Amino acid sequence: MMTVKFPEGFLWGGATAANQLEGAYQEGGKGLNLADVLPGGKENRLKLLSSTGFDFEIDKSKYTYPNHEGIDFYHRYKEDIALFAEMGFKTFRLSIAWSRIFPNGDELEPNEEGLAFYDRVFDELAKYNIEPLVTIAHYETPLHLIKEYGGWRNRKLVEFFERYVTVLFNRYKDKVKYWLTFNEINGATHMPLLGLGFSPESEETRLQDSFQGLHHQFVASAKAVQLGHEIIPGSQIGCMLIYAPVYSFDSNPENVMYAQQEARIFNNFCGDVQVRGEYPSFIDRYFRENDVNIKMEDGDLALIKEGTVDFISFSYYMSRTDKKNKTPEEIGQGNLIGGVKNPFLKASDWGWEIDPIGLRIALNELYDRYQVPLFVVENGLGAYDKVEEDGSINDDYRIDFLREHIKAMGEAVDDGVELMGYTSWGCIDLVSASSGEMSKRYGFIYVDKLDDGSGSFERSRKKSFYWYKNVIATNGEEL
Ligand code: BGP
């Protein structure tokens, strides 16, 4: 048995996003954002994410809106951060809700109340020496930018984003060193609604509009890296990818080739642009064959070259197994990112295939390709939890999942991968992004809120809380 060894100063912690936990959706001068118009419930939300022509309206007669209250972190952050500190967190990943800072997104002056809220959060973290890791854009584009401008398809958003990040960097320069630009940027073509803030008009326009939106985000991200380095000397600014290694279903070269192509487009394209600073050569053929034409402005490519990221962060939940010709029954076997069923893997209650070795593969693939430090900023098991009569929650399934994934990370470190840290997703139960459910729980900390919105919002420690506390205390040696 190998002993897992993680580097000194490894950043253990947990990850969240503003829209999934803050609540207080109309307090402190906050404007509405994308998450505020997304309905709750697996059927309603999942369908919407892959559909076309969403109108971005709230209809309370038909739907619930669980992100409106989230888990009320906005009012309870002190208690929550104290619990993170009790587990020994070295870092806490959170996002800033753009529409708390610029309620509409296109104002010239920021909203002081929004800025002050994050000051309080960062000060609270500092009390416990917890390093904030801040995502600048995590699926929460201000609604006004969606409705009036068409989301990231519109070049104007680059300018608004630049104003937003300049305000953030200046305000928090003494408090935040680690930043991520766009959450799961490469998920954009798959689900443009979340990352790019638009609902495709039709399947025909989806790719063209998504890649154009991505180009705008590449430019905006490069600009943010430059500004961040200027305003906060010593800051570390990363990209954020959703990464699922693509396995060929079998050794048929047709399928191996197909898997390689899919991996390039889905896994490598965005990283190549943000880490190497160039559009990769393989994308030309893909664009040609799919009628994608990117409109660029003079200076865009130079900026992208200059604004490369310092490290790569990514989410890892599952691998993807795929083949060229799929029967209708083989398609859509539960994995959010597509593919066919892998006969060697079991899946979570939501059909996400569980594959710890895939994380070691992901880490090695990324490090081989880029040789920059890596950071696993999301990983975890969404599961139903049962509260026992005595109030305890015995989530051994979650402990097993995390143990195997942390072991796989340890193997990758032993393989020579440079790894900065690990923040497990949803360290405190929060609203699921893809299904809008509370019952899809990831936390070490249980939150008493149910899918129908009822509950006391009280927090309690699950069995995994104590387990993770010991993992951190032993720097991953005791799993
Ligand atoms: C990632 C997102 C998170 C998140 C997580 C788990 O894609 O960055 O926001 O929620 O996946 O997904 P879900 O909440 O759908 O279970």
Side-chain angles (χ1 to χ4, degrees), residues 106-281:
D106 60 357
E107 297 92 337
L108 295 177
E109 296 303 324
N111 167 36
E112 174 55 33
E113 256 194 283
L115 288 165
F117 168 65
Y118 294 104
D119 266 325
R120 294 197 293 277
V121 171
F122 296 142
D123 292 345
E124 199 62 24
L125 290 168
K127 268 198 207 165
Y128 301 101
N129 285 322
I130 299 176
E131 192 80 54
L133 166 63
V134 174
T135 318
I136 300 168
H138 191 133
Y139 297 164
E140 41 215 0
T141 310
L143 195 61
H144 177 75
L145 298 186
I146 292 177
K147 288 186 158 180
E148 294 303 314
Y149 296 87
W152 278 94
R153 283 174 295 188
N154 191 326
R155 175 96 196 183
K156 284 291 256 181
L157 266 75
V158 176
E159 178 191 323
F160 304 144
F161 187 80
E162 187 179 335
R163 196 175 301 142
Y164 165 53
V165 296
T166 305
V167 165
L168 297 188
F169 291 151
N170 280 311
R171 177 74 172 221
Y172 305 123
K173 59 173 181 271
D174 299 323
K175 300 183 180 180
V176 182
K177 179 176 167 205
Y178 296 101
W179 300 86
L180 309 176
T181 52
F182 292 95
N183 184 61
E184 295 187 335
I185 188 165
N186 56 318
T189 51
H190 197 58
M191 292 186 181
L193 184 66
L194 289 179
L196 296 169
F198 76 88
S199 179
E201 272 123 40
S202 70
E203 279 313 316
E204 286 72 59
T205 57
R206 171 197 288 272
L207 275 188
Q208 168 63 34
D209 286 348
S210 299
F211 280 105
Q212 186 62 56
L214 266 183
H215 178 72
H216 296 148
Q217 291 194 338
F218 293 149
V219 173
S221 173
K223 191 77 213 168
V225 172
Q226 275 193 329
L227 284 164
H229 288 162
E230 257 166 56
I231 300 171
I232 318 177
S235 57
Q236 295 266 312
I237 306 174
C239 60
M240 199 301 194
L241 308 173
I242 173 171
Y243 201 92
V246 186
Y247 305 153
S248 172
F249 181 72
D250 56 22
S251 54
N252 179 345
E254 292 271 14
N255 291 334
V256 176
M257 187 72 230
Y258 180 77
Q260 186 188 60
Q261 298 288 31
E262 288 293 299
R264 276 174 161 171
I265 304 301
F266 192 74
N267 288 337
N268 302 149
F269 169 62
C270 291
D272 285 3
V273 178
Q274 293 189 289
V275 182
R276 293 173 168 168
E278 280 170 17
Y279 271 70
S281 57

